[in-house]
């Protein structure tokens, strides 16, 4: 385990904002995690877990012991037509997707090119193109600050749209070490998502294997979402708002183009990108903090924006959406600030 003091995490968050943390601890094996937690208790600082830093906005220096799980390795267990993969928290998510589709295993292809690490994937129940992590999730192993080592199945993780217990009761108290996912050797491809259908019709070619579908998803993502290696961003900055049927219908009468997708309950999921675009924000800038010009849901750091600059832009956007549509959109990224 490697410990660094007063460490700048600029290269450990995809917004590329500079911020110093009290201690930065790299955990290379499972036993390092309880040691890091013990160290934080001893020093009297709260812990925070930082994987790829691809879903957070850091608005100040942090008085915390930051644990960076760097546990590697992918193990396969075969049961008839199923494969259970057991994956270290530090494995890059897209590398895992590539590993599985190259072997013909189905399940992760719609989740190609999502930035971040495997350990972070359950935290916000990552999802894209009609699939969510919870659809393939078996269980995970990790350490809780107060309860020690725990094995948690999907029920215990309380997965919901971009949400889980790790964003709620277990926030800043739990470190994921490894995750087990259930994949299929005879893949059934999920091509139902609108944007996928449109692209398939345009090309007049339907993907036939997980690898082909992963390539298509990666192409669509690449054309709409900025590459964090080139421009600082954290993917979707806001969650899509979930409205009651009543509120949605009233708005739809006033704004006939407003998108709406039915959810399992009686509610309707609308599009935060659409709301933001209607308020004129697409491509807008406040200094180096901006709204991406190809997708209104993505905030970008054009260079030297601080976390506070980006948050102040986000606040302006939320206010203007609220004034126009009476909807308060909520951030999807974790916004962090210590006094
Ligand atoms: N739209 C606009 N303006 C835009 C972009 C989109 O009006 O600039 C509208 C369109 O009507 C479009 C609708 O928004 O039909 C939905 O757009 P899109 O398919 O791009 O998906 P999204 O709802 O904006 C969600 C996820 C993405 C995920 C895509 C694809 C959330 C918060 N975001 O975005 O996830 O890749 O669907 O499944 O649910 C992420 O979480 O970081 C992320 C990128």
């Amino acid at each position: 385990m490697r410990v660094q003091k007063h460490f700048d995490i600029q290269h450990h968050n995809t917004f590329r904002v500079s911020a110093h943390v009290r201690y930065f601890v790299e955990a290379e094996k499972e036993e390092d995690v309880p040691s890091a937690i013990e160290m934080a208790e001893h020093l009297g600082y709260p812990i925070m877990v930082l994987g790829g830093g691809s879903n957070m906005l850091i608005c100040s220096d942090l008085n915390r012991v930051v644990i960076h799980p760097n546990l590697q390795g992918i193990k396969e267990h075969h049961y008839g037509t199923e494969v259970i993969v057991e994956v270290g928290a530090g494995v890059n998510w897209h590398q895992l997707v590539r590993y599985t589709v190259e072997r013909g295993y189905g399940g992760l292809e719609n989740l190609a090119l999502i930035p971040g690490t495997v350990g972070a994937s359950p935290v916000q129940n990552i999802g894209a193109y009609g699939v969510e992590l919870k659809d393939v999730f078996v269980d995970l192993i990790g350490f809780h600050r107060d309860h020690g080592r725990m094995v948690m199945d999907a029920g215990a993780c309380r997965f919901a749209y971009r949400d889980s217990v790790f964003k709620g009761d277990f926030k800043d108290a739990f470190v994921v070490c490894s995750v087990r996912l259930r994949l299929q050797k005879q893949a059934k491809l999920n091509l139902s998502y609108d944007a996928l259908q449109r692209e398939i019709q345009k090309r007049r070619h339907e993907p036939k294997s997980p690898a082909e579908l992963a390539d298509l998803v990666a192409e669509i993502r690449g054309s709409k979402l900025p590459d964090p290696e080139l421009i600082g961003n954290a993917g979707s900055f806001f969650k899509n708002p979930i409205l009651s049927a009543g509120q949605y219908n009233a708005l739809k009468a006033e704004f006939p183009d407003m998108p709406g997708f039915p959810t399992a309950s009686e509610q309707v999921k609308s599009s935060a990108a659409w709301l933001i675009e209607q308020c004129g924000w697409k491509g807008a800038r406040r200094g180096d903090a901006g709204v991406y010009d190809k997708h209104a849901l993505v905030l970008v750091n054009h260079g030297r924006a601080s976390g506070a600059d980006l948050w102040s832009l986000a606040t302006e956007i939320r206010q203007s959406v609220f004034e126009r549509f009476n909807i308060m959109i909520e951030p999807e990224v974790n916004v962090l600030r210590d006094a």
Side-chain angles (χ1 to χ4, degrees):
M1 146 171 136
R2 200 151 79 104
V3 182
Q4 291 175 84
K5 219 174 154 178
H6 193 64
F7 182 80
D8 188 350
I9 54 175
Q10 183 166 32
H11 298 292
H12 288 272
N13 73 94
T14 59
F15 263 125
R16 299 281 178 262
V17 298
S18 170
H20 286 85
V21 303
R22 288 282 166 162
Y23 291 90
F24 185 79
V25 184
E26 250 174 282
E28 258 122 39
K29 45 190 193 313
E30 206 183 289
E31 308 85 86
D32 291 345
V33 172
S35 310
I37 294 174
E38 219 173 281
M39 182 187 134
E41 301 263 282
H42 179 73
L43 292 165
Y45 290 117
I47 58 166
M48 179 187 124
V49 188
L50 180 62
S54 56
N55 202 46
M56 52 177 58
L57 179 66
I58 305 145
C59 300
S60 71
D61 287 344
L62 300 173
N63 290 316
R64 309 187 195 195
V65 170
V66 171
I67 303 175
H68 178 56
N70 199 9
L71 291 87
Q72 296 297 320
I74 304 176
K75 282 188 212 142
E76 293 183 27
H77 306 277
H78 292 245
Y79 304 96
T81 57
E82 287 184 358
V83 188
I84 307 282
V85 288
E86 191 181 331
V87 193
V91 172
N92 172 275
W93 176 264
H94 184 63
Q95 304 282 302
L96 172 66
V97 175
R98 289 245 55 95
Y99 175 99
T100 61
V101 301
E102 274 163 17
R103 285 159 180 77
Y105 308 156
L108 306 186
E109 54 279 2
N110 297 53
L111 305 175
L113 218 62
I114 295 183
T117 57
V118 168
S121 65
V123 176
Q124 55 149 342
N125 180 26
I126 58 169
Y129 301 99
V131 174
E132 287 183 330
L133 182 80
K134 75 168 168 53
D135 303 330
V136 292
F137 184 86
V138 179
D139 57 17
L140 60 78
I141 293 172
F143 284 85
H144 189 283
R145 194 186 49 206
D146 306 325
H147 312 306
R149 192 174 190 273
M150 291 176 77
V151 180
M152 295 180 65
D153 64 12
C157 293
R158 283 189 245 144
F159 291 128
Y161 169 60
R162 291 298 197 275
D163 202 19
S164 74
V165 71
F166 309 108
K167 277 182 143 182
D169 292 350
F170 279 22
K171 189 169 158 48
D172 296 331
F174 193 87
V175 185
V176 177
C177 292
S178 64
V179 176
R180 294 200 305 157
L181 305 173
R182 178 180 291 108
L183 307 177
Q184 307 297 331
K185 291 185 197 170
Q186 280 138 25
K188 264 217 242 88
L189 303 182
N190 178 344
L191 305 172
S192 59
Y193 195 80
D194 257 12
L196 273 180
Q197 274 304 323
R198 276 199 302 276
E199 204 53 37
I200 290 167
Q201 253 130 53
K202 208 167 89 191
R203 295 168 185 227
R204 294 166 193 240
H205 176 74
E206 200 175 286
K208 292 287 185 294
S209 66
E212 267 185 47
L213 180 48
D215 285 346
L216 179 63
V217 166
E219 264 185 63
I220 302 176
R221 278 188 84 90
S223 69
K224 288 211 286 196
L225 300 170
D227 178 352
E229 293 296 325
L230 305 175
I231 180 163
N233 79 93
S236 299
F237 191 89
F238 297 101
K239 290 190 203 186
N240 285 322
I242 300 186
L243 310 174
S244 69
Q247 188 182 10
Y248 176 73
N249 291 333
L251 283 163
K252 182 88 180 161
E254 203 180 331
F255 306 99
D257 298 338
M258 183 169 167
F261 311 92
T263 63
S265 50
E266 300 277 285
Q267 296 165 312
V268 180
K269 191 194 274 182
S270 192
S271 157
W274 185 87
L275 298 167
I276 296 166
E277 189 172 340
Q278 294 305 302
C279 294
W281 286 107
K282 202 167 179 171
R285 274 179 85 144
R286 292 276 184 272
D288 274 352
V291 179
Y292 191 51
D293 57 359
K294 294 203 199 95
H295 202 303
L297 200 49
V298 182
L299 299 192
V300 291
N301 181 359
H302 287 288
R304 286 160 186 262
S306 66
D309 296 336
L310 284 152
W311 181 242
S312 124
L313 172 63
T315 305
E316 256 194 89
I317 294 172
R318 293 177 80 199
Q319 273 161 359
S320 71
V321 167
F322 185 71
E323 274 160 29
R324 178 119 184 243
F325 297 101
N326 205 28
I327 297 173
M328 190 49 95
I329 49 173
E330 296 299 332
E332 190 246 338
V333 302
N334 295 303
V335 180
L336 299 167
R337 186 183 303 102
D338 281 351

